[in-house]
Amino acid sequence: MSPLPPPGAPLEHFVSTTPFDPHAQETMTSAQSRIHLASQKQLMWWKFKQHRLALVSGIFLAFVYFAILIVEFLAPYGLHSRNVDYIHSPPQRVHFFDKGEFVGPFVYGRSMQLDIDTLRRIYTEKPNDIQPIRFFCRGDAYRFWGLVDSNLHLVCPAEGGQMYLLGTDRLGRDVLSRILYGARISLTIGLIGISISFTLGIIIGGLAGYRGGVFDLIVQRMIEVLQSLPSLPLWMALAAIMPVTWSPIVIYFGITVILGIIDWTGLARAVRSKLLALREEDYVQAAQLMGASTPRIIGRHLVPGFMSHLIASATISIPGMILGETALSFLGLGLRPPITSWGILLTEAKSVSVIAFYPWLLFPIIPVVLVILAFNFLGDGLRDAADPYK
């Protein structure tokens, strides 16, 4: 270590003698150049792919929503198909080998006996009755989306046989088929509901944050009142207002509107807080001086700046609407038969005795849990990807 110079002595100064080249540029690696030239959408996509759980959840949800488009083809039975000989039949196992030999996917036939003491149906497998599972086969007739008559199914039971992979209910209807049909209602009600709340949140929250003043004060007090009310009693009160004489389709849209109207408050506050910070920016004042209207400034200049945050918030809000519909239908205040949803299917398992004897009637809760978790994981990934520079 060199000794320090004495006080007052001039310090050594080193100057590079290399000639200055004004056209010289710092060289970047290919990876650095790729990131430097990437657009914001590409950066968001790369950040989102790093969240493996969110990526898997997005693929799962894409598959589920595609499946509801062709649910008639995927379901092995029709929505209202009944078999009175197989009431409360437990799930059947799929086998591939019989006595050590590969047969292919099949189920064993069953025989039923009634227990006189408990009046419970007891099903036993018949090992000599092999019923192969058919694929791309003809089965129960249906009208695809109510437009095209067909009877083509992805999987079907053997000719003259039965295949209840998730069991049957008290009317002998296939639980698996009804879960698939119920997904169409339970999943679309979340999308339609979030569209309503998304629109209300952006419009009301945007005007409150941009205008401010008395309008902002009224909106904030209204939001506080709505958020102070318990959600479940409020849902029940609004659902009970709908007359029982309404058709199931009208009730479906009524429940959707109720869920959308109640859920807009959180999104409106997020939009308001963002617009309060952005309305003082120079480009907003420039738009005002050029005579741009308030809707144009909010819709074309302010909202797109944090649209990624709004999409992440909306993704996290969809599970709440699905749970809301499930809870209302389970309590008998939401959708009503003949419409089928996951909440309506769970009404079959209200009593403890039913759960004890027929636990497979709780299977509709499995897709509810999986979809809710997938939406939450997807929302976390989108929220992280919304700011790729972190």
Side-chain angles (χ1 to χ4, degrees), residues 65 131 319 381:
Y65 274 96
Q131 300 180 0

Side-chain angles (χ1 to χ4, degrees), residues 63-138:
F63 171 78
V64 170
Y65 274 96
F66 173 75
I68 66 176
L69 299 176
I70 55 173
V71 66
E72 294 90 350
F73 168 71
L74 297 177
Y77 291 93
L79 176 59
H80 303 293
S81 298
R82 298 175 54 188
N83 191 335
V84 295
D85 295 329
Y86 287 85
I87 293 176
H88 281 150
S89 174
Q92 293 177 276
R93 288 182 55 192
V94 177
H95 302 269
F96 292 88
F97 295 88
D98 179 61
K99 298 177 182 178
E101 296 183 1
F102 179 77
V103 180
F106 69 93
V107 295
Y108 288 112
R110 286 181 168 180
S111 60
M112 188 273 292
Q113 292 181 344
L114 184 64
D115 189 339
I116 302 301
D117 297 331
T118 61
L119 297 180
R120 182 182 178 186
R121 292 174 172 83
I122 300 176
Y123 293 88
T124 56
E125 289 187 345
K126 297 186 289 184
N128 295 326
D129 186 7
I130 298 177
Q131 300 180 0
I133 298 176
R134 298 179 296 150
F135 295 90
F136 297 99
C137 46
R138 301 293 176 177

Side-chain angles (χ1 to χ4, degrees), residues 171-319:
L171 297 179
R173 297 172 296 190
D174 181 40
V175 174
L176 174 60
S177 300
R178 291 178 62 77
I179 288 176
L180 293 175
Y181 276 96
R184 176 174 290 174
I185 298 298
S186 295
L187 294 179
T188 54
I189 203 169
L191 292 182
I192 299 175
I194 198 63
S195 300
I196 297 174
S197 66
F198 202 76
T199 303
L200 291 176
I202 290 178
I203 294 177
I204 299 177
L207 290 175
Y210 183 74
R211 287 291 187 185
V214 178
F215 182 79
D216 181 29
L217 184 65
I218 295 174
V219 169
Q220 291 308 302
R221 300 293 82 76
M222 181 173 58
I223 290 176
E224 290 172 358
V225 170
L226 289 176
Q227 291 184 339
S228 65
L229 298 175
S231 299
L232 188 58
L234 183 60
W235 286 342
M236 295 173 62
L238 293 176
I241 295 175
M242 293 186 295
V244 295
T245 56
W246 283 5
S247 67
I249 297 297
V250 176
I251 293 177
Y252 166 76
F253 284 105
I255 294 295
T256 305
V257 172
I258 289 173
L259 295 175
I261 290 176
I262 295 177
D263 197 62
W264 66 270
T265 55
L267 187 62
R269 278 200 160 175
V271 174
R272 171 187 175 271
S273 62
K274 290 288 184 179
L275 262 63
L276 282 175
L278 295 177
R279 68 179 184 178
E280 304 299 332
E281 296 290 337
D282 294 338
Y283 66 90
V284 177
Q285 296 181 5
Q288 292 173 344
L289 293 175
M290 294 180 67
S293 62
T294 298
R296 180 178 178 84
I297 294 175
I298 295 176
R300 294 293 300 274
H301 301 287
L302 296 178
V303 172
F306 58 97
M307 181 58 71
S308 57
H309 173 77
L310 296 179
I311 293 175
S313 301
T315 306
I316 298 177
S317 299
I318 292 177

Side-chain angles (χ1 to χ4, degrees), residues 144-157:
F144 186 73
W145 282 93
L147 301 174
V148 182
D149 292 323
S150 179
N151 60 357
L152 181 65
H153 296 264
L154 177 63
V155 293
C156 301

Side-chain angles (χ1 to χ4, degrees), residues 25-73:
Q25 295 181 355
E26 182 180 357
T27 59
M28 294 188 297
T29 63
S30 58
Q32 291 175 334
S33 177
R34 180 168 174 260
I35 296 175
H36 180 72
L37 300 176
S39 63
Q40 185 175 7
K41 291 183 179 180
Q42 288 178 317
L43 293 175
M44 292 174 63
W45 169 241
W46 294 339
K47 185 70 175 292
F48 178 75
K49 286 196 301 183
Q50 295 177 359
H51 200 303
R52 298 295 183 183
L53 200 55
L55 183 62
V56 173
S57 299
I59 296 173
F60 169 74
L61 290 173
F63 171 78
V64 170
Y65 274 96
F66 173 75
I68 66 176
L69 299 176
I70 55 173
V71 66
E72 294 90 350
F73 168 71

